[in-house]
Amino acid sequence: MHEMAMAQGIMDIVESYARKNDAKKVRVVSLIIGEMAGVVFESLEFCFKALAEGTVAEDAELKLHRTPLLGQCNDCGWQGHIVKYNFFCPKCNSAKVDIISGRELRVEYLEVD
Ligand SMILES: [Zn+2]
């Protein structure tokens, strides 16, 4: 399962951070998840809770920040929100639109004790 692998990745980051900072408890894990990362947040949270059981992150709260899917046109320079996965430029109809954000999944910050 996609979300389980992601939850494992997040857990690795959280545990190594907690070790480095001598944290006894992780309170908040804030995540940035792009609109197109293909993550169902509820599943991710469920997997994370399962993995976190018995660790420093057992009671951690997951916070979610969604970032919109943004594109840039290589022909006319347009930048903006890509709606409904329409990857043609709304200004010049070019197909040369690059994704500049919206696919990321990363830990934004952690709050620990
Ligand atoms: Zn364009």
Side-chain angles (χ1 to χ4, degrees):
M1 195 163 80
H2 190 54
E3 277 80 7
M4 187 47 108
M6 286 179 168
Q8 184 63 61
I10 293 163
M11 198 62 214
D12 290 346
I13 293 170
V14 169
E15 284 200 302
S16 85
Y17 180 91
R19 254 197 312 275
K20 265 188 227 150
N21 292 277
D22 248 334
K24 284 167 194 66
K25 222 165 182 40
V26 178
R27 293 215 172 274
V28 175
V29 179
S30 178
L31 302 170
I32 294 183
I33 301 178
E35 199 176 14
M36 218 182 113
V39 181
V40 179
F41 181 67
E42 288 70 27
S43 321
L44 182 66
E45 193 174 33
F46 179 82
C47 294
F48 182 83
K49 294 267 177 220
L51 291 171
E53 228 179 271
T55 74
V56 284
E58 191 166 35
D59 298 319
E61 180 195 349
L62 282 192
K63 282 190 182 169
L64 169 71
H65 284 127
R66 285 256 185 224
T67 53
L69 181 57
L70 296 178
Q72 179 173 8
C73 175
N74 284 313
D75 282 331
C76 74
W78 169 86
Q79 275 193 8
H81 191 196
I82 296 173
V83 183
K84 291 182 184 152
Y85 301 110
N86 175 13
F87 292 102
F88 290 95
C89 175
K91 256 180 123 179
C92 72
N93 226 20
S94 164
K96 291 182 194 156
V97 173
D98 286 337
I99 292 170
I100 52 178
S101 90
R103 280 198 294 212
E104 57 273 79
L105 178 119
R106 63 171 193 270
V107 176
E108 185 186 21
Y109 65 84
L110 299 167
E111 282 175 36
V112 298
D113 282 345

